[in-house]
Amino acid sequence: MKRGARLGLMPLWALLTGCANVATTPSGHAVPEQLPLVFSAVDKMHWESMQLPGKLRTAFRLSQKEGRQVLQTESAASISMLRQKLRIPAEQLGLMHFEWQVSNLIEGADMTQRDAEDSPVRVVLAFDGDRSRFSPRNAMLSELTRTITGEEMPYAVLMYVWSNDLPVGTVIINPRTDRIRKIVVESGRERLGRWLRHDRDVRADFIQAFEEPPGVLQSLAIMTDTDNTRGKTQAWYGEIKLYPAVQAR
């Protein structure tokens, strides 16, 4: 693989591993290792703010909407992520609950195409695993990531996304690397402008997407991006809750 092609794979890995500029880094915060976990809008504002060199930064800020405190995001040809590191054993993984609202879809966005791969909202889970199972292409990307960042790239990344038109339940394999897979949990315009709640079985979703059980959950993130299409969107994130399997409700 040529160097330019390798670097073309890097943007999302950069956000997930720390190759990106870290605008804010929590200090003195222990990495959570036990569930349940509840993350409010205020909590998410204290997550690591990850952005890419040379890219405009998606804005995140606290706001009040419909009587609740939420995290508002505005993206205009921009990309960035808020990330919370975790260390949750696979056997603990149960349900995840999250809420979001989207004002508008991104014109021309298509998550199956590398040059149009934007989404108004994403909830992003990164997992550890057996990297000896990587394909030669992914092994090369992993080595490049370690060289640049000093961190291992995630073994696998599972995202929950909103698609312009793909059916709910579709699993999208990222056009850059098959170690990133997305599950469409909302699609189309019908439910724009409404608070939507999603309850997902993390373990079952990982198995559906990757056809193997998950490893340790290494991080949780939210991301809104319009850098590929050069579009604009506005969205809001509510609480995110992670429950252990034995307490899943």
Side-chain angles (χ1 to χ4, degrees), residues 126-235:
F127 296 84
D128 200 3
D130 182 3
R131 292 172 179 80
S132 70
R133 301 180 61 184
F134 279 165
S135 67
R137 177 183 177 88
N138 287 321
M140 186 176 295
L141 177 59
S142 181
E143 181 60 31
L144 178 64
T145 302
R146 184 165 49 249
T147 298
I148 294 175
T149 71
E151 290 188 32
E152 294 281 359
M153 80 175 194
Y155 173 73
V157 175
L158 178 66
M159 297 185 181
Y160 298 102
V161 297
W162 190 316
S163 170
N164 282 9
D165 51 20
L166 293 174
V168 170
T170 299
V171 175
I172 306 167
I173 298 177
N174 188 277
R176 291 181 171 89
T177 170
D178 64 0
R179 302 316 301 164
I180 301 174
R181 303 192 182 191
K182 292 155 278 190
I183 295 181
V184 176
V185 295
E186 281 295 334
S187 184
R189 301 178 181 277
E190 182 178 351
R191 303 218 293 174
L192 290 173
R194 297 168 54 184
W195 275 112
L196 304 178
R197 168 178 170 148
H198 296 280
D199 292 291
R200 305 298 307 190
D201 183 326
V202 173
R203 180 180 179 84
D205 285 343
F206 189 95
I207 292 172
Q208 177 191 1
F210 289 95
E211 299 181 340
E212 62 179 286
V216 172
L217 178 60
Q218 294 181 307
S219 67
L220 166 65
I222 58 174
M223 177 177 169
T224 294
D225 59 306
T226 57
D227 60 311
N228 289 305
T229 59
R230 316 300 293 175
K232 294 182 179 181
T233 193
Q234 186 177 44

Side-chain angles (χ1 to χ4, degrees), residues 109-127:
D110 182 350
M111 281 177 281
T112 68
Q113 303 299 317
R114 62 179 297 167
D115 294 328
E117 202 259 326
D118 290 334
S119 179
V121 279
R122 304 182 194 237
V123 173
V124 183
L125 303 175
F127 296 84

